Amino acid sequence: MINMSPGGLALLAPGIGNVGDRVIAYLDHIGRVEGRITRIIDNGFAMTIGATARKRDKLAAQLTWLANRDILNLPEDRRHDRIVPRNPIALLTQEDGTRMTCRIIDLSLSGAAIAAENRPPLKSLVMLGRVQARVVRNLEEGFALEFVHEQSAETLEESVTAR
């Protein structure tokens, strides 16, 4: 990433599309953003960020925190780093035994963000692959899970994703 605001960003990229192309980017400390390419630059492109007003406000707060954390010696706001799994498709089993395929937006040793059309009730226990988790909040495109037990970095992806 070269620069970013709540409305857009410029980034270096190995592959460059065309003006108007839809882009989904996964950014460290930010997560998933999507938008459209607005202009091509050397070794990259600039894009808009398509988001609701609420999501833009949240992004502005996140960017402010990132810009000031070193200056103000602010503590890291996450317990564990987030990663995007190589295979984001997973099977989620709800308390009543209902199963659904979902997409893992990102995950850490302590939880995951899930994209799915159906949202289990808040506080309900679910299984993400072979990992027991609790639904802790709703997201714009799905929900967030907190794992009942912290996971091992070595087995995290294979424990939660579909084979």
Side-chain angles (χ1 to χ4, degrees):
M1 186 176 358
I2 298 169
N3 61 47
M4 183 173 187
S5 73
L9 69 127
L11 51 89
L12 300 175
I16 301 169
N18 298 307
V19 171
D21 285 354
R22 183 170 176 252
V23 176
I24 298 174
Y26 293 92
L27 308 172
D28 290 343
H29 303 288
I30 301 293
R32 182 181 190 271
V33 293
E34 61 182 283
R36 298 212 175 260
I37 295 176
T38 55
R39 71 182 188 283
I40 305 301
I41 59 175
D42 287 341
N43 299 315
F45 56 88
M47 64 180 276
T48 60
I49 296 176
T52 63
R54 182 172 179 265
K55 189 164 183 174
R56 282 186 201 270
D57 288 346
K58 185 177 174 185
L59 184 55
Q62 236 175 332
L63 292 171
T64 301
W65 181 85
L66 284 167
N68 294 313
R69 70 181 173 165
D70 292 332
I71 297 166
L72 301 174
N73 248 353
L74 295 172
E76 181 62 53
D77 67 336
R78 301 265 190 197
R79 285 183 283 172
H80 303 102
D81 288 338
R82 300 295 196 256
I83 63 163
V84 176
R86 288 180 295 275
N87 171 18
I89 305 306
L91 183 64
L92 186 111
T93 307
Q94 298 182 62
E95 283 180 311
D96 66 1
T98 303
R99 293 177 176 207
M100 68 175 173
T101 302
C102 61
R103 182 177 55 82
I104 300 172
I105 298 168
D106 63 33
L107 72 153
S108 74
L109 301 181
S110 58
I114 305 297
E117 290 184 27
N118 299 320
R119 293 183 176 122
L122 289 175
K123 300 182 182 176
S124 64
L125 284 173
V126 298
M127 293 293 289
L128 181 63
R130 298 186 311 267
V131 178
Q132 188 175 37
R134 185 170 304 281
V135 180
V136 291
R137 73 181 157 276
N138 287 319
L139 305 173
E140 206 167 303
E141 60 180 305
F143 52 93
L145 299 175
E146 182 174 29
F147 299 143
V148 172
H149 301 288
E150 189 173 304
Q151 299 299 299
S152 157
E154 292 77 31
T155 60
L156 177 62
E157 285 193 56
E158 70 185 40
S159 296
V160 299
T161 59
R163 289 172 240 271

